Coordinates of all heavy atoms in Angstrom, one line a residue:
Chain O
R112 N 14.1 15.9 6.8 CA 14.3 17.2 6.2 C 13.6 17.2 4.8 O 12.9 18.1 4.5 CB 15.7 17.6 6.1 CG 16.3 18.1 7.4 CD 17.7 18.7 7.2 NE 18.7 17.7 6.7 CZ 19.4 17.0 7.6 NH1 19.3 17.1 8.9 NH2 20.3 16.1 7.1
R113 N 13.9 16.2 4.0 CA 13.3 16.1 2.7 C 11.8 16.0 2.7 O 11.1 16.7 1.9 CB 13.9 14.9 1.9 CG 15.4 15.0 1.6 CD 15.7 14.0 0.6 NE 17.2 13.8 0.5 CZ 17.7 13.2 -0.5 NH1 17.0 12.8 -1.5 NH2 19.0 13.1 -0.6
R114 N 11.3 15.2 3.6 CA 9.9 15.0 3.6 C 9.2 16.2 4.1 O 8.1 16.5 3.7 CB 9.5 13.8 4.5 CG 9.4 12.5 3.7 CD 9.2 11.4 4.7 NE 10.2 11.4 5.7 CZ 10.2 10.7 6.8 NH1 9.1 10.0 7.1 NH2 11.2 10.7 7.6
D115 N 9.8 16.9 5.0 CA 9.3 18.1 5.5 C 9.0 19.1 4.3 O 8.0 19.7 4.2 CB 10.2 18.8 6.5 CG 9.5 19.8 7.4 OD1 8.3 19.6 7.7 OD2 10.2 20.7 7.8
A116 N 10.0 19.2 3.4 CA 9.9 20.1 2.3 C 8.8 19.6 1.4 O 8.0 20.4 0.8 CB 11.3 20.1 1.6
W117 N 8.8 18.3 1.1 CA 7.8 17.7 0.2 C 6.4 17.9 0.7 O 5.5 18.4 0.0 CB 8.1 16.2 0.0 CG 7.1 15.5 -0.9 CD1 7.3 15.5 -2.3 CD2 6.0 14.8 -0.6 NE1 6.2 14.8 -2.8 CE2 5.4 14.3 -1.8 CE3 5.3 14.4 0.6 CZ2 4.2 13.6 -1.9 CZ3 4.1 13.7 0.5 CH2 3.6 13.3 -0.7
I118 N 6.2 17.7 2.0 CA 4.8 17.8 2.5 C 4.5 19.3 2.7 O 3.3 19.6 2.5 CB 4.7 17.0 3.8 CG1 3.2 16.6 4.0 CG2 5.1 17.8 5.0 CD1 3.0 15.4 4.9
A119 N 5.4 20.1 2.9 CA 5.2 21.5 3.1 C 4.6 22.1 1.8 O 3.6 22.8 1.8 CB 6.4 22.3 3.5
Q120 N 5.2 21.6 0.7 CA 4.7 22.1 -0.6 C 3.3 21.6 -0.9 O 2.4 22.3 -1.4 CB 5.7 21.5 -1.7 CG 5.3 22.0 -3.1 CD 5.9 21.2 -4.2 OE1 6.7 20.3 -3.9 NE2 5.6 21.6 -5.5
R121 N 3.1 20.4 -0.5 CA 1.7 19.8 -0.7 C 0.7 20.5 0.2 O -0.5 20.6 -0.2 CB 1.8 18.3 -0.4 CG 0.8 17.4 -1.1 CD 1.5 16.2 -1.6 NE 2.7 16.6 -2.4 CZ 2.6 16.7 -3.7 NH1 1.5 16.5 -4.4 NH2 3.7 17.1 -4.4
L122 N 1.1 20.9 1.3 CA 0.2 21.5 2.3 C -0.2 22.9 1.9 O -1.2 23.4 2.4 CB 0.9 21.5 3.7 CG 1.0 20.1 4.3 CD1 1.9 20.2 5.6 CD2 -0.3 19.5 4.6
R123 N 0.5 23.5 0.9 CA 0.1 24.8 0.5 C -1.2 24.8 -0.2 O -1.9 25.8 -0.3 CB 1.2 25.4 -0.5 CG 2.4 25.9 0.3 CD 3.4 26.5 -0.6 NE 4.7 26.4 0.0 CZ 5.8 25.7 -0.5 NH1 5.7 25.1 -1.7 NH2 6.9 25.6 0.2
G124 N -1.6 23.6 -0.6 CA -2.9 23.5 -1.3 C -4.1 23.2 -0.2 O -5.2 23.2 -0.6
L125 N -3.7 23.1 1.0 CA -4.7 22.9 2.1 C -5.0 24.2 2.8 O -4.1 25.0 2.9 CB -4.2 21.8 3.1 CG -3.9 20.4 2.5 CD1 -3.6 19.5 3.7 CD2 -5.1 19.9 1.7
E126 N -6.2 24.2 3.4 CA -6.5 25.4 4.2 C -5.9 25.2 5.6 O -5.6 24.0 6.0 CB -8.1 25.4 4.4 CG -8.9 25.4 3.1 CD -8.6 26.7 2.3 OE1 -8.3 27.7 3.0 OE2 -8.7 26.6 1.1
P127 N -5.6 26.3 6.3 CA -5.0 26.2 7.6 C -5.8 25.3 8.6 O -5.2 24.5 9.3 CB -5.1 27.6 8.1 CG -5.0 28.4 6.9 CD -5.8 27.7 5.8
E128 N -7.1 25.3 8.5 CA -7.9 24.5 9.4 C -7.7 23.0 9.0 O -7.7 22.1 9.9 CB -9.4 24.7 9.2 CG -9.8 26.2 9.2 CD -9.7 26.8 7.8 OE1 -10.4 26.3 7.0 OE2 -8.9 27.7 7.6
E129 N -7.5 22.7 7.7 CA -7.3 21.3 7.3 C -5.9 20.8 7.8 O -5.8 19.7 8.3 CB -7.3 21.2 5.8 CG -8.7 21.5 5.2 CD -8.7 21.5 3.7 OE1 -7.8 22.0 3.1 OE2 -9.7 21.0 3.1
I130 N -5.0 21.7 7.8 CA -3.6 21.3 8.3 C -3.7 21.0 9.8 O -3.1 20.0 10.3 CB -2.6 22.4 8.0 CG1 -2.5 22.6 6.4 CG2 -1.3 22.1 8.6 CD1 -1.6 23.8 6.0
A131 N -4.3 21.9 10.5 CA -4.5 21.7 11.9 C -5.2 20.4 12.2 O -4.8 19.7 13.2 CB -5.2 22.9 12.5
A132 N -6.2 20.1 11.4 CA -7.0 18.9 11.7 C -6.1 17.7 11.5 O -6.2 16.7 12.2 CB -8.2 18.9 10.7
L133 N -5.3 17.7 10.4 CA -4.4 16.6 10.1 C -3.5 16.4 11.2 O -3.3 15.2 11.7 CB -3.7 16.9 8.8 CG -3.1 15.8 8.1 CD1 -4.1 14.8 7.6 CD2 -2.3 16.3 6.8
R134 N -2.9 17.4 11.7 CA -2.0 17.3 12.8 C -2.6 16.8 14.1 O -2.1 15.9 14.7 CB -1.5 18.8 13.1 CG -0.4 18.9 14.2 CD -0.1 20.3 14.4 NE 0.8 20.5 15.5 CZ 2.1 20.3 15.4 NH1 2.6 19.8 14.2 NH2 2.9 20.4 16.4
A135 N -3.8 17.2 14.3 CA -4.5 16.8 15.5 C -4.9 15.3 15.4 O -5.1 14.6 16.4 CB -5.8 17.6 15.7
A136 N -5.1 14.8 14.2 CA -5.6 13.4 14.0 C -4.4 12.4 14.0 O -4.7 11.2 14.0 CB -6.3 13.3 12.7
L137 N -3.2 12.9 14.0 CA -2.1 11.9 13.9 C -2.0 10.9 15.0 O -1.8 9.7 14.7 CB -0.8 12.7 13.8 CG -0.3 12.9 12.3 CD1 0.9 13.7 12.2 CD2 -0.1 11.5 11.7
P138 N -2.1 11.3 16.2 CA -2.1 10.2 17.3 C -3.1 9.1 17.0 O -2.9 8.0 17.2 CB -2.4 11.0 18.5 CG -2.0 12.4 18.3 CD -2.3 12.6 16.8

Side-chain angles (χ1 to χ4, degrees):
Chain O
R112 282 190 293 272
R113 293 194 193 200
R114 266 175 306 165
D115 200 31
W117 181 82
I118 208 157
Q120 184 195 357
R121 207 136 306 267
L122 289 171
R123 281 182 208 119
L125 298 187
E126 305 297 330
E128 314 86 62
E129 291 175 323
I130 296 172
L133 199 59
R134 182 185 178 75
L137 264 176

